[in-house]
């Protein structure tokens, strides 16, 4: 399989799309309207089948961005709004953090019932929602888009969500960027950044010295946009600000690693008078911000924040026009032609010495390796190669179900001895886990098609794997006594891949037909069934040793609930025959449960009769 031919395919497609539709111009128009409104105001307008939601960019941001105390765990403070972002990669030590002041602005907006009602009402009549904002309004728009994406992820029919920001400061840390990439939402965000605008670059450097210089004139951070801003700053102050920012941006990565706390996410649309380029690699985005800004001047770095209207008009009129290089400047390779075109669009001459770092930056942004579809095809080949591992586990299950000891699949593996057969099954279990973890890693690093988790082939394959292998994982967990160390499997031991596969299965397209089984399922449909059995066994032991009536009632309620759940599965034949094996954990538990239940009812009957007799006497 060959590597990807076009390194600019994704960015060029997005840039061309934006330039050829009214999305940019309409978004900026509504941003301008919103900027004329008081703080915490918004504008909603429906154009055709598209609803635009624009946020005011004149906002007061609480706290200094340089203060670590102003980082807030996200979405810990608003779990119900951004729940998908709580999932984290195994071994990922980066928490998801945002600036508390920026989050506070969005929460103030969200707590307005009028805002929520208008957005939800327009969602019912729109095919797409475009959320937009200028300056700090852009961070509000980003949080609004994340809220909508989080709420709609499990809905089969919902409008598409797209966020366009103009000159927006960075919102959160690398953990937020990775979480958005993991959820495959990066393509829903486009951040328009002008060539010299200071605001998007402000949080890449320690800005406290800037604030101290200009706070007596205008609080640049606390009031992030004002039409009078360019007039309020003396030229010498602009020179000092520009010199300071350039010096910090030029710092080597090793010197600035502790300073760069904020991190970009999504696509960045860098615009200039010459055109625009689109970059989606976070490292390249930061480098382009540095290179372009240092080509500017003290006045440009402030005034450019207010010139997005001009840039939008230039992009829409120029971007689709054909460009030509001067005689003798035609690169021979198609890849170099793409780099040269991108440099020209950003106003950097191809043959200038300063173009060298920019060329390197764009080459870093290149999508290396195979295209997502080719990666998917390669994974399909690997899936076929691991089929024998799965088949051997199926064969083992069939042997267990037919065994004379009548323990069934789960208990046979849990109580296994050091035999060659069980050792091979355990090795196959690990090999399958490694393959599926690799699939998830590729998906979350955007190396697979964006609809990968909705393709029937992979949804069904992952579901079958989960039904077949998770009972073995549960058996191993309790066999090794991990429940006594970490807690029960469901809350403390379940692998993250199973949670992801649950979401894939729940999000699949389901027909309206109901099917009734005429015989027991080949695999128990509740993959957590055996973990529930293990928990119920502990509850039953606690009932025998518990004297507190309140706790006893609580335990009996949980036991009764599980018994009803298990009975329902058995009645609908949603379990495998190993559940009903004579010496299976479930059948032994059911026997103990019914005996103890009978004793409890008998004791209560005797106690009731005794009390009635006392009352009669």
């Amino acid at each position: 399989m060959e590597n990807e031919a076009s390194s600019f395919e994704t960015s060029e497609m997005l840039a061309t799309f934006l330039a050829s539709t009214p999305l940019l111009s309409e978004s900026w128009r509504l941003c301008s309207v919103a900027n004329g409104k008081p703080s915490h105001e918004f504008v909603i307008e429906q154009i055709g089948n598209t609803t635009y939601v624009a946020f005011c960019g004149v906002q007061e941001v609480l706290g200094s961005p340089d203060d670590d105390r102003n980082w807030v765990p996200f979405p810990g403070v608003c779990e119900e709004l951004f729940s998908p972002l709580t999932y984290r990669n195994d071994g990922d030590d980066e928490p998801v953090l945002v600036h508390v002041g920026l989050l506070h602005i969005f929460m103030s907006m969200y707590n307005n019932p009028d805002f929520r009602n208008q957005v939800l009402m327009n969602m019912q009549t729109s095919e797409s929602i475009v959320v937009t904002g200028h300056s700090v309004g852009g961070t509000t728009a980003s949080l609004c888009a994340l809220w909508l994406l989080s709420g709609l992820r499990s809905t089969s029919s919902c409008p598409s969500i797209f966020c366009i920001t103009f000159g927006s400061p960075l919102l959160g840390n690398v953990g937020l960027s990775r979480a958005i990439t993991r959820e495959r939402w990066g393509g829903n965000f486009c951040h328009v950044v002008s060539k010299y605008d200071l605001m998007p670059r402000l949080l890449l450097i320690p800005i406290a010295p800037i604030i101290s210089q200009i706070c007596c004139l205008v609080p640049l951070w606390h009031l992030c946009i004002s039409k009078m801003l360019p007039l309020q700053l003396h030229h010498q102050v602009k020179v000092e600000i520009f010199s300071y920012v350039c010096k910090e941006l030029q710092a080597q990565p090793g010197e600035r690693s502790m300073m760069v706390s904020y991190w970009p996410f999504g696509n960045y649309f860098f615009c200039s008078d010459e055109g625009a380029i689109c970059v989606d690699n976070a490292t390249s985005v930061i480098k382009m911000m540095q290179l372009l800004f240092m080509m500017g001047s003290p006045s440009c770095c402030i005034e450019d924040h207010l010139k997005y209207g001009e840039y939008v008009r230039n992009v829409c009129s120029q971007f689709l026009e054909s460009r030509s290089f001067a005689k003798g400047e035609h690169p021979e390779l198609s890849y170099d032609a793409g780099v040269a075109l991108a440099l020209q669009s950003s106003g950097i001459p191809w043959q200038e010495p300063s173009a060298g770092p920019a060329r390197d930056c764009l080459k870093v942004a290149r999508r290396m390796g195979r295209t997502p579809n080719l990666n998917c095809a390669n994974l399909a080949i690997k899936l076929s190669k691991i089929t024998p591992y799965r088949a051997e586990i199926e064969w083992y299950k069939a042997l267990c179900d037919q065994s004379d000891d009548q323990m069934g699949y789960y208990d046979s593996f849990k109580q296994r001895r050091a035999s060659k057969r069980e050792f091979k099954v355990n090795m196959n279990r690990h090999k399958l886990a490694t393959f599926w973890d690799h699939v998830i890693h590729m998906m979350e690093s955007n190396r697979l098609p964006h609809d990968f988790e909705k393709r029937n082939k992979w949804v069904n394959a992952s579901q079958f794997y989960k039904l077949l292998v998770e009972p073995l994982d549960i058996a191993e967990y309790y066999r090794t006594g991990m429940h006594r160390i970490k807690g029960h499997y469901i809350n403390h031991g379940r692998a993250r891949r199973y949670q992801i596969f649950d979401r894939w299965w729940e999000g699949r397209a389901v027909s309206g037909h109901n099917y009734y089984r005429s015989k027991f399922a080949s695999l128990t449909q509740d993959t957590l069934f055996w973990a529930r059995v293990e928990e119920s066994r502990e509850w039953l032991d606690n009932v025998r040793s518990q004297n507190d009536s309140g706790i006893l009632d609580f335990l009996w309620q949980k036991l009764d609930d599980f018994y009803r759940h298990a009975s329902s599965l058995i009645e609908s034949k949603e379990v495998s025959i190993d559940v009903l094996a004579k010496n299976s954990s479930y059948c032994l538990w059911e026997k103990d449960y019914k005996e103890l239940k009978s004793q409890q009812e008998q004791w209560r009957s005797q106690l009731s009769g005794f009390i009635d007799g006392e009352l009669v006497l």
Side-chain angles (χ1 to χ4, degrees), residues 17-33:
F17 171 74
L18 287 175
S20 60
T21 67
L23 285 176
L24 279 179
S25 56
E26 290 295 343
S27 295
W28 176 252
R29 179 181 66 83
L30 289 172
C31 283
S32 300
V33 175

Side-chain angles (χ1 to χ4, degrees), residues 35-69:
N35 284 342
K37 290 182 171 293
S39 178
H40 299 300
E41 285 292 327
F42 59 93
V43 174
I44 296 183
E45 183 175 321
Q46 185 166 348
I47 302 175
N49 294 324
T50 301
T51 292
Y52 290 82
V53 183
F55 296 97
C56 175
V58 183
Q59 302 284 355
E60 182 179 355
V61 184
L62 301 177
S64 167
D66 291 342
D67 193 339
D68 291 340
R69 292 173 297 179

Side-chain angles (χ1 to χ4, degrees), residues 44-159:
I44 296 183
E45 183 175 321
Q46 185 166 348
I47 302 175
N49 294 324
T50 301
T51 292
Y52 290 82
V53 183
F55 296 97
C56 175
V58 183
Q59 302 284 355
E60 182 179 355
V61 184
L62 301 177
S64 167
D66 291 342
D67 193 339
D68 291 340
R69 292 173 297 179
N70 288 314
W71 283 107
V72 59
F74 179 77
V77 295
C78 37
E79 185 81 24
E80 71 284 357
L81 299 185
F82 307 99
S83 57
L85 298 179
T86 60
Y87 293 99
R88 292 173 59 184
N89 289 316
D90 295 336
D92 186 359
D93 296 328
E94 288 290 344
V96 179
L97 302 174
V98 296
H99 187 272
V100 65
L102 300 176
L103 181 61
H104 174 76
I105 293 173
F106 169 73
M107 293 307 299
S108 299
M109 194 75 65
Y110 176 81
N111 291 329
N112 180 354
D114 183 49
F115 166 72
R116 294 199 307 274
N117 292 337
Q118 287 193 49
V119 171
L120 297 176
M121 181 178 64
N122 278 275
M123 287 176 61
Q124 299 175 3
T125 59
S126 302
E127 294 182 1
S128 57
I129 306 291
V130 177
V131 192
T132 187
H134 177 215
S135 194
V136 171
T139 58
T140 309
S142 294
L143 287 167
C144 180
L146 290 174
W147 163 54
L148 294 175
L149 289 166
S150 299
L152 297 177
R153 64 174 301 160
S154 59
T155 306
S156 57
S157 58
C158 60

